[in-house]
Amino acid sequence: MGGIELANNNKLITTAASTVLVANGTDDVFVSQGMATAFVVTDGTVGDDTILTFRKNDSLINYRALGDTVVPGANGTIAVDGPGAASSDDIQIIGADGDSVLTLRYLGTKDGGFAYADASVRLAGFTEGYVTDDSFNAGSAATTYFYDNALGLNLGFDTINGFGADDRIVTTRRIYDGNDSASIEFGGNKVLDLSGEGGPKATDGQLNPGGQIDVNGATGDILSLDFLFEENVGGVTYYYYGIDA
């Protein structure tokens, strides 16, 4: 198994910008622009706020769970307080293409927040790593493990056992490659460090703002992965890594 990680992965928002929807009881309008943005909903009477141009690398961090899949109501809003709550805040999220019916997927909870992002980014057949510390067993079937590190969130310290030549790790930002060789060496900690929203570079001295993965084969540690290819689907670029035989 891999060594001890270089840094803890307990902070949820790392390289994303943070915009707080404060409990001021007014109907505010927020606009996503520039880098990935995490919109943090405060516990309290926020008001019926609107988020404009919500992009595929933005996230909604709510103070409570909203379910595994969040589909806006007929009026395109999300009831962030839930049924029976003292307040009834309806947040309208309008995508960058002007679509207000934007389905969100659940990404787990950490650091006091419940994370959600555009459901269309997780492609069919992907097994997703959440913001929690997840453990996977690849087994005999080819598996594609997905890490949406373009969100600028820390996706936890995960473990993948039984990773083989037909398995893949897919990210939405290039993984930091110290020597630009397309072979990602794990280093002394023996784990894969995930880049953050800024892409394949160190961020404030950290190599793992997107989280870390302890990748193990059938017979022990895997100490490097190869960059295989990239593809663009629906405006999102996906980076594929594996064992290049």
Side-chain angles (χ1 to χ4, degrees), residues 63-86:
Y63 72 93
R64 62 176 292 277
L66 299 172
D68 290 339
T69 303
V70 180
V71 181
N75 58 353
T77 60
I78 297 171
V80 294
D81 296 314

Side-chain angles (χ1 to χ4, degrees), residues 28-48:
D28 301 312
V29 177
F30 301 90
V31 180
S32 172
Q33 53 187 321
M35 65 186 296
T37 302
F39 293 92
V40 182
V41 182
T42 306
D43 183 2
T45 304
V46 172
D48 295 338

Side-chain angles (χ1 to χ4, degrees), residues 3 10 27 32 34 51-53 89 106 108 117 124 131 144 163 180 209 229:
N10 296 329
D27 300 343
S32 172
I51 301 173
L52 299 175
T53 63
D89 300 314
Y106 181 52
V131 301
T144 299
F163 191 89
D180 295 320
F229 64 93

